[in-house]
Amino acid sequence: MADYKEIITRYKDLPGGIIEAYHAIQKEQSYLPEEAIIAAAEVFEIPVKDAYGVATFYSMFSVKSRGKNVIRICESAPCHIAGAADVVAALEKELGIKMGETTPDGKFALEFTECVGQCQATPVITINGKPYGDITADKIPAILAEYK
Amino acid sequence: MAEEMRVVLRNYGKIDPLKIDDYINAGGYKSLEKARSMSQMDVINEVKKSGLRGRGGAGFNCGQKWTFAYQAQADQKYVICNADEGEPGTYKDRIIMENDPHSVLEGMAICGYAIGATKGYIYCRGEYPYVVDILNTAIAQAKEKGVLGNFDVEVRMGAGAYVCGEETALIESIEGHRGEPRYKPPFPPVIGLWGKPTIVNNVETFANIAVILEKGADWYAGLGAPSYPGTKVLTLTGDVVNKTFVEVPTNTTIRQVIYEFGGGIAGGKAFKAVQIGGTSGGFIPASLLDTQIDFDSMAAIGATLGSGAVLVMDETRDIVDVVERIAKFFEHESCGKCAPCREGTMRMHKLMSKVNQGKGTAQDVALMDKLGRVMSVACLCGLGQAAPSPVLTTIKHFKADYDAKLQ
Ligand SMILES: Cc1cc2nc3c(=O)[nH]c(=O)nc-3n(C[C@H](O)[C@H](O)[C@H](O)COP(=O)(O)O)c2cc1C
Ligand code: SF4
Ligand code: FES
């Protein structure tokens, strides 16, 4: 388990730095556990409810545990008409889970996202923030293999 | 054949974005030096005279905005570059930052000098961690060279919230809060980040500044459409042959964008609709394709230029289905601060789903039309105000598509 307090304390002197601190935690373990949110409240000297409020406002942060590698499928209109639904079906089949779930081995989580700004290559997915464009069902196994 | 005009992307492909010397050899940071030899008011007047209007969507006169922050008295002021770029179908700010980060830094530093700010922030969306790295490299190089003088720039990351592109929500987010828009007035140039006068401008707006000071306001004012001069970087998506970005003068027509730059409709199909300005933009039918893309011409047809996203749909596309998807986007992205948007986007999505599933009636469509018109005046921020636009414009221009799905 990462030392949340140590990670968060690096951002203590950055005004408004709680969002940067949360990014740093998620880099280590893909979601924000309750202890990390409580630690952030202490470090930034704000009520826990506010630290929690920030954590739940932003879609890139998760307060629930999720797979180590977060796969996000863009469902914004340009990706939607380029066949995002087929990408969803292919990923669900390949991983044996539904959108919003994590694989039993804890390796992958599947989520929707809105546009990630790579719309020259719709449909688009990202894995841990790294974009992959022009996705078709047959490209998926090779991409996932990078993370296995 | 219309041609691209690269003003914002003047260094695209010509310099190595990670080498500050390349930028300097291409004339970079000369405009900042020039600005510093001028009075603050002269710099602002030059920008004002150029007619440059914000490229983030609202189209406010840039120099005018700077005047408000210049006139405000404060011990500290801030310059913020809005790199949140959340409007679906838009990636032009990424192209600018990836290929010429110093042009943005130089624009910000000129603004800082003009209004009397020594600190700048770039608020970059969390989906662009690789752009954050480029920006930090550029900032480190600029510091090492000393080109920015006493102007300091810091990058802050968003975390996936479309509303944070709204300037006061963005300010809340930099302050480490939930990104909920503030009540306006007061506007940021008077009371902004940490209560201090703050200029928020879009990436593309800043990328225009150095070239305006270099070539002069009159030169710039002569480009494109007189009421919204200059160029616009557009991103073409959907059923066009060339899914790419282009930079064109603002008097280019939508038809030229789609057929000359975009290469026409893919697969030899016929055109059906185009949505410009991102997901909050209006849908435009074939009969209006000869409209110029500039801010005022678009407003005159009930559409927007917005972020410059151009989503083209061919004859096979199900407009009602696309608009339902868009309605879901707004329900998801509404921050929940005001009731007309929080409840309105949810109701709108429910009604759109009902109609799309073939369960809707003419009354449902009439209700959506009414709800949309209420939202566009009653919502607190631009998100809720613009959210109904795709619904309203498709009911107006593509009524037959709705009728075909009604009970
Ligand atoms: C919901 C919403 C999202 C917005 N997103 C962006 C954005 O991603 N980038 C941007 O520059 N402006 C965005 N804006 C506009 C900003 O509020 C602001 O007008 C702009 O940053 C001002 O810069 P400009 O004058 O250079 O255009 C958004 C506005 C709203 C209401
Ligand atoms: S209009 Fe929507 S996004 Fe804007 S303040 Fe109201 S609830 Fe929030
Ligand atoms: S619409 Fe999917 S990446 Fe932009």
Side-chain angles (χ1 to χ4, degrees):
Chain A
M1 200 171 83
D3 182 349
Y4 307 127
K5 197 130 196 188
E6 190 272 319
I7 295 175
I8 295 166
T9 304
R10 287 183 224 152
Y11 299 88
K12 187 177 172 45
D13 296 326
L14 197 65
I18 188 167
I19 293 171
E20 296 287 331
Y22 282 165
H23 275 301
I25 300 254
Q26 284 209 164
K27 220 174 181 172
E28 297 292 322
Q29 72 171 52
S30 96
Y31 80 104
L32 301 173
E34 193 175 309
E35 307 87 78
I37 293 168
I38 293 170
E42 280 170 20
V43 171
F44 290 99
E45 296 174 30
I46 56 173
V48 173
K49 73 166 176 64
D50 289 349
Y52 186 75
V54 171
T56 52
F57 185 84
Y58 297 92
S59 72
M60 292 176 78
F61 298 144
S62 173
V63 296
K64 286 198 211 109
S65 112
R66 61 178 169 185
K68 187 163 157 271
N69 300 298
V70 180
I71 305 175
R72 306 188 98 197
I73 305 171
C74 172
E75 62 166 343
S76 284
C79 281
H80 176 74
I81 70 168
D86 299 337
V87 179
V88 169
L91 273 164
E92 285 183 340
K93 188 163 163 240
E94 183 72 25
L95 294 171
I97 54 171
K98 294 278 168 209
M99 294 303 295
E101 294 177 353
T102 286
T103 51
D105 63 2
K107 273 204 179 131
F108 292 102
L110 264 188
E111 292 179 1
F112 280 118
T113 179
E114 294 294 348
C115 178
V116 296
Q118 294 287 341
C119 339
Q120 74 286 351
T122 53
V124 177
I125 67 169
T126 64
I127 303 184
N128 303 335
K130 183 178 172 193
Y132 296 85
D134 293 318
I135 296 296
T136 50
D138 56 310
K139 284 189 187 167
I140 286 171
I143 294 172
L144 294 186
E146 289 177 41
Y147 297 86
K148 276 185 177 148
Chain B
M1 175 83 189
E3 273 188 42
E4 270 203 67
M5 183 187 282
R6 294 209 162 162
V7 175
V8 167
L9 296 172
R10 55 197 176 273
N11 291 323
Y12 181 89
K14 293 186 191 152
I15 64 168
D16 179 344
L18 295 177
K19 289 196 182 130
I20 190 171
D21 286 336
D22 276 21
Y23 182 71
I24 291 173
N25 290 337
Y29 288 113
K30 284 225 173 72
S31 294
L32 176 57
E33 215 173 274
K34 183 174 173 184
R36 286 183 169 148
S37 71
M38 296 160 69
S39 77
Q40 290 167 279
M41 221 32 234
D42 282 349
V43 174
I44 293 175
N45 280 332
E46 191 72 6
V47 174
K48 210 190 271 179
K49 205 168 79 173
S50 76
L52 172 66
R53 291 166 67 182
R55 297 309 198 232
F60 198 81
N61 181 288
C62 182
Q64 184 72 41
K65 196 195 279 190
W66 291 13
T67 310
F68 299 140
Y70 169 75
Q71 285 166 345
Q73 300 294 320
D75 55 349
Q76 178 62 284
K77 300 180 186 178
Y78 298 101
V79 175
I80 298 176
C81 174
N82 188 341
D84 198 46
E85 188 150 78
E87 197 59 78
T90 312
Y91 57 93
K92 50 114 184 158
D93 293 339
R94 170 173 66 79
I95 296 289
I96 296 167
M97 293 186 285
E98 280 178 343
N99 291 285
D100 200 7
H102 288 286
S103 69
V104 180
L105 297 182
E106 185 172 8
M108 290 178 71
I110 292 170
C111 174
Y113 170 76
I115 67 164
T118 54
K119 173 91 192 182
Y121 288 92
I122 302 177
Y123 185 85
C124 185
R125 63 187 313 218
E127 288 81 353
Y128 289 168
Y130 39 91
V131 176
V132 171
D133 292 343
I134 293 172
L135 292 170
N136 279 327
T137 304
I139 291 167
Q141 289 177 349
K143 272 188 188 150
E144 203 191 314
K145 284 259 175 202
V147 284
L148 295 179
N150 66 347
F151 188 72
D152 182 50
V153 186
E154 190 181 319
V155 182
R156 286 296 176 90
M157 249 208 258
Y162 168 71
V163 71
C164 285
E166 195 280 339
E167 55 189 7
T168 60
L170 186 158
I171 287 170
E172 287 289 324
S173 186
I174 294 182
E175 292 183 0
H177 307 140
R178 292 165 69 87
E180 291 175 6
R182 295 175 176 174
Y183 292 94
K184 295 192 265 190
F187 291 92
V190 181
I191 296 181
L193 186 62
W194 289 301
K196 305 293 182 188
T198 303
I199 285 297
V200 182
N201 274 134
N202 174 254
V203 171
E204 189 179 354
T205 310
F206 280 125
N208 270 297
I209 301 296
V211 70
I212 288 173
L213 283 184
E214 180 198 332
K215 298 195 176 169
D218 294 333
W219 168 80
Y220 193 85
L223 306 177
S227 71
Y228 187 89
T231 59
K232 185 79 189 75
V233 185
L234 307 174
T235 48
L236 276 52
T237 62
D239 302 314
V240 274
V241 174
N242 308 321
K243 285 204 255 178
T244 183
F245 63 91
V246 289
E247 181 176 358
V248 299
T250 53
N251 58 352
T252 306
T253 66
I254 304 171
R255 188 184 302 281
Q256 287 175 312
V257 169
I258 296 173
Y259 288 92
E260 297 185 28
F261 298 103
I265 310 300
K269 299 205 182 92
F271 170 91
K272 179 163 190 180
V274 59
Q275 186 190 28
I276 298 187
T279 263
S280 61
F283 280 60
I284 299 162
S287 59
L288 296 172
L289 286 185
D290 291 312
T291 309
Q292 285 185 185
I293 61 157
D294 69 89
F295 191 90
D296 300 317
S297 303
M298 293 295 281
I301 62 161
T304 51
L305 172 58
S307 64
V310 178
L311 170 60
V312 179
M313 283 155 277
D314 72 30
E315 55 188 332
T316 68
R317 296 298 176 187
D318 181 345
I319 297 277
V320 175
D321 177 68
V322 176
V323 177
E324 186 207 341
R325 170 74 271 282
I326 290 171
K328 182 180 169 201
F329 169 85
F330 285 113
E331 179 186 11
H332 181 242
E333 297 298 333
S334 168
C335 83
K337 179 165 175 162
C338 71
C341 171
R342 184 181 62 240
E343 305 300 319
T345 52
M346 185 260 285
R347 289 288 158 205
M348 193 69 99
H349 179 215
K350 281 211 163 117
L351 286 164
M352 277 306 306
S353 297
K354 190 177 167 196
V355 172
N356 192 27
Q357 285 162 21
K359 296 178 187 154
T361 61
Q363 279 104 315
D364 290 324
V365 176
L367 188 58
M368 287 197 292
D369 196 60
K370 188 168 174 190
L371 173 62
R373 281 182 286 125
V374 170
M375 286 171 68
S376 58
V377 290
C379 289
L380 173 60
C381 86
L383 186 149
Q385 291 160 9
S389 156
V391 178
L392 295 176
T393 52
T394 49
I395 291 177
K396 183 172 173 199
H397 298 300
F398 300 93
K399 188 75 188 338
D401 288 64
Y402 284 86
D403 289 344
K405 292 206 175 194
L406 297 183
Q407 284 201 330

